[in-house]
Amino acid sequence: MTIARHLATIDRLCSEDFPLEHGGSFGSPGGPGFHLVELERSAGSGEGDDGEGDDGEGDDGEREEQIEAWREGLAQRLADRWGEQGHMSLDGVFLRAQQGDEHIPEPWASLGAYVRNVYVWQAHGDGRWVALGISRPGVDQEFSLLALVTEIDPP
């Protein structure tokens, strides 16, 4: 079962030491104080469209719905464990980081560039934060379900 595998990944990340250095790019295993992983990627990349039919928006909608369903299923299992999740928009975090008026700590500053909002829990017993979000599609038009485990408080 995939949700069970994703829960095991989150559990493992909650118990592992954090890397001492940044992995160098988005999608890396993490950096000081955090782990960031892609749990699921939507099927299809939007490439190879033959140009027939609609403009592909329906396909994008289906891929997004698919990833949202994964997020909701996993979020329910985490809510059963740690209580109802908080919802946090990262749009403002991204803007504040871009303006430079305020220091936004990593991984939150970078995550805001790729994810519009996250569900957030504080894992019991270790003070770590767990966040689930869906990446904004890039050139490849894929949506990804991302999990962040960090000791750094959300801004």
Side-chain angles (χ1 to χ4, degrees):
M1 178 178 206
T2 303
I3 288 182
R5 187 177 75 234
H6 296 333
L7 286 170
T9 298
I10 291 170
D11 288 341
R12 179 178 49 80
L13 295 176
C14 282
S15 64
E16 283 184 357
D17 291 335
F18 295 112
L20 297 176
E21 297 180 12
H22 289 282
S25 65
F26 178 76
S28 71
F34 71 95
H35 296 289
L36 180 64
V37 296
E38 179 182 84
L39 297 174
E40 202 68 44
R41 181 175 285 240
S42 64
S45 66
E47 295 177 6
D49 185 358
D50 61 7
E52 294 181 19
D54 66 22
D55 59 1
E57 287 182 25
D59 291 339
D60 287 348
E62 289 172 15
R63 288 191 288 268
E64 186 175 16
E65 286 177 15
Q66 175 190 30
I67 290 297
E68 285 175 355
W70 282 112
R71 180 188 60 188
E72 296 306 316
L74 187 54
Q76 182 57 55
R77 296 287 295 274
L78 292 173
D80 291 345
R81 197 183 270 187
W82 294 323
E84 286 301 311
Q85 69 271 10
H87 183 267
M88 180 179 160
S89 171
L90 295 179
D91 286 339
V93 169
F94 176 68
L95 290 174
R96 291 178 1 229
Q98 293 299 310
Q99 291 171 344
D101 297 336
E102 175 181 358
H103 172 72
I104 304 294
E106 291 297 340
W108 300 103
S110 293
L111 190 63
Y114 297 95
V115 177
R116 295 195 73 131
N117 58 67
V118 291
Y119 292 154
V120 182
W121 297 263
Q122 191 160 26
H124 295 303
D126 61 11
R128 292 185 178 195
W129 294 92
V130 176
L132 288 179
I134 298 173
S135 69
R136 301 173 193 182
V139 174
D140 63 3
Q141 294 301 308
E142 291 191 19
F143 295 88
S144 295
L145 175 60
L146 303 173
L148 170 70
V149 176
T150 183
E151 64 186 3
I152 302 160
D153 292 342

